[in-house]
Amino acid sequence: MRKTYLLIIFVLTCTLSASAQLKKAYVKDLAFMTGTWTLKHEWGDMEEFWGQPMGDNMVSTFRCVKNGKVVFYEFMAIEQSDSIPVMKLRHFNKGSIGWEDKDKPYLMPAVKIAANEVVFESLDKAVRITYKRINPLKMDCILDEKDKDGKWKKDVFNYALVKH
């Protein structure tokens, strides 16, 4: 009986601490992402620009170019909800052809914000994007995705700051 009681307390404590992890956060807490970030990757040359937080939002553009030709683009807006920042992401092929429906951006609420780090998670919990500022000139973007078999796949993008 005591083991069952301790197990219940442990599960409740973990659940409460996980849900309490991010009750209130603000877009301004993400200012560490600001800058123009680049890297050379097997997918192609990548550039991601993050503007300073302005009011209740911040925006980003991303492009991936291989052999001088665009692979794809992204536009990201992080907007303040009532309690937390939410990333709204859209992908585009060459010619500005969108992947997502025009009224359905890919939504990813922030699930963790710490000093120089934020984790966004898709509503279906199948994708996580982590931005982690390593030092003044380096920031990692970590993409964790479940594949069709439910196994996690991780891609790490080691960005270098070009300009702030």
Side-chain angles (χ1 to χ4, degrees):
M1 178 71 173
R2 180 166 165 76
K3 286 182 182 179
T4 304
Y5 179 72
L6 289 174
L7 180 61
I8 290 170
I9 290 176
F10 175 76
V11 169
L12 284 174
T13 302
C14 290
T15 303
L16 290 174
S17 66
S19 66
Q21 190 172 8
L22 190 61
K23 286 191 176 204
K24 191 76 172 168
Y26 302 95
V27 170
K28 67 180 170 90
D29 299 329
L30 307 179
F32 70 89
M33 297 165 61
T34 301
T36 301
W37 302 92
T38 62
L39 79 133
K40 294 195 178 297
H41 189 270
E42 66 186 70
W43 295 359
D45 296 333
M46 297 180 176
E47 178 186 66
E48 190 163 331
F49 165 80
W50 281 98
Q52 284 280 351
M54 183 184 293
D56 66 352
N57 72 90
M58 64 189 296
V59 295
S60 172
T61 57
F62 166 90
R63 63 182 164 174
C64 180
V65 176
K66 190 165 190 169
N67 300 321
K69 303 215 184 277
V70 67
V71 178
F72 70 102
Y73 305 106
E74 292 178 343
F75 177 77
M76 294 163 277
I78 299 174
E79 297 177 349
Q80 185 70 40
S81 72
D82 289 340
S83 59
I84 58 170
V86 177
M87 179 185 286
K88 297 175 180 185
L89 169 68
R90 291 186 183 278
H91 299 86
F92 300 89
N93 287 332
K94 184 176 183 172
S96 197
I97 309 300
W99 297 7
E100 292 82 17
D101 291 338
K102 70 177 184 172
D103 60 346
K104 292 186 177 139
Y106 200 67
L107 299 177
M108 300 187 73
V111 294
K112 175 185 175 191
I113 295 179
N116 295 319
E117 181 178 4
V118 60
V119 180
F120 296 97
E121 186 174 68
S122 61
L123 299 178
D124 64 3
K125 303 198 181 306
V127 178
R128 285 188 210 115
I129 299 175
T130 302
Y131 286 92
K132 186 173 186 177
R133 187 77 176 254
I134 305 302
N135 65 44
L137 300 176
K138 302 284 182 193
M139 182 168 69
D140 285 350
C141 176
I142 303 158
L143 174 64
D144 291 296
E145 294 181 279
K146 282 187 183 177
D147 65 17
K148 62 183 179 225
D149 298 323
K151 294 180 184 168
W152 286 97
K153 178 183 179 253
K154 179 183 292 243
D155 288 299
V156 179
F157 304 96
N158 307 113
Y159 281 114
L161 184 66
V162 175
K163 59 184 171 183
H164 196 297

